[in-house]
Amino acid sequence: AQSVTQLGSHVSVSEGALVLLRCNYSSSVPPYLFWYVQYPNQGLQLLLKYTTGATLVKGINGFEAEFKKSETSFHLTKPSAHMSDAAEYFCAVSEPHTGFQKLVFGTGTRLLVSP
Amino acid sequence: EAQVTQNPRYLITVTGKKLTVTCSQNMNHEYMSWYRQDPGLGLRQIYYSMNVEVTDKGDVPEGYKVSRKEKRNFPLILESPSPNQTSLYFCASSPTGAKNQPQHFGDGTRLSIL
């Protein structure tokens, strides 16, 4: 079965620093890939997704992610962190072998941003 | 405004007392799903529904029931709740359940079973 690994349950950065959140998946067949963000007391919101085409995907709030098939990775980056980026981030993949969407989520990474 | 609405947002109850968490979406989506979120485990799917009267088990269905009598509603039923069902629950929907479609999530329901 598909699995998603997010390295680091917590990542701390200073405001203005680079944000890098790591995501690796296990499928040998390229899946569809998603990053979601969860702010306190809210549901998950889509940041960006990769389905087909360009491997560098731009999302909302200045985030982007690059699909690297050879590394089975889909890491999330942002050049300069803002305080408002503090949240929990989930990487998810859509199982490639089902006829419909079945999302498998990573365990999440909490981003802490200090002044 | 397009949204997925869950009620209640918070509930503390006791073991064995039946409860229902409602979920409603106003986007005419065919696909709906329930997840539970637990620390260190991410989100795990409980049940999903491809359309009215079509439901199926996800990864952790034990102890839960669902129904889909109308397209917009997808309630989650705990017939006899137990403490291990204490969790944060999310309802989500997407237009057709196609693999490339993102899901829209509700704001969550925090259940505490004593």
Side-chain angles (χ1 to χ4, degrees), chain B residues 16-49:
Chain B
K17 185 176 182 180
K18 180 179 178 180
L19 68 91
T20 299
V21 183
T22 64
C23 173
S24 181
Q25 50 92 6
N26 63 359
M27 296 168 280
N28 201 36
H29 285 174
E30 294 181 354
Y31 180 90
M32 297 185 75
S33 182
W34 276 104
Y35 297 88
R36 60 178 290 173
Q37 182 183 6
D38 300 291
L41 296 177
L43 279 79
R44 295 176 293 166
Q45 189 180 53
I46 304 171
Y47 269 94
Y48 66 92
S49 170

Side-chain angles (χ1 to χ4, degrees), chain B residues 42-100:
Chain B
L43 279 79
R44 295 176 293 166
Q45 189 180 53
I46 304 171
Y47 269 94
Y48 66 92
S49 170
M50 294 298 293
N51 212 327
V52 175
E53 302 292 2
V54 181
T55 64
D56 208 346
K57 297 177 181 178
D59 297 317
V60 288
E62 294 77 20
Y64 304 95
K65 284 176 55 177
V66 292
S67 69
R68 188 91 183 273
K69 294 184 170 60
E70 308 162 281
K71 185 182 269 193
R72 63 185 293 122
N73 296 323
F74 190 43
L76 179 69
I77 303 155
L78 285 71
E79 295 267 3
S80 183
S82 62
N84 65 10
Q85 294 176 297
T86 292
S87 187
L88 180 58
Y89 291 85
F90 288 100
C91 181
S93 71
S94 73
T96 63
K99 290 190 277 188
N100 61 346

Side-chain angles (χ1 to χ4, degrees), chain A residues 30-52:
Chain A
Y32 298 123
L33 297 154
F34 304 84
W35 274 101
Y36 286 88
V37 60
Q38 183 181 29
Y39 298 104
N41 297 316
Q42 295 185 27
L44 281 70
Q45 301 173 31
L46 180 71
L47 269 180
L48 50 79
K49 67 175 183 177
Y50 170 78
T51 54
T52 58

Side-chain angles (χ1 to χ4, degrees), chain A residues 70-107:
Chain A
S70 61
E71 299 178 7
T72 60
S73 69
F74 191 55
H75 302 332
L76 183 70
T77 60
K78 182 174 180 178
S80 177
H82 295 162
M83 297 294 290
S84 59
D85 294 327
E88 189 153 22
Y89 292 80
F90 291 94
C91 181
V93 301
S94 184
E95 287 268 12
H97 304 298
T98 58
F100 55 91
Q101 183 177 89
K102 177 174 169 54
L103 281 179
V104 175
F105 285 87
T107 53

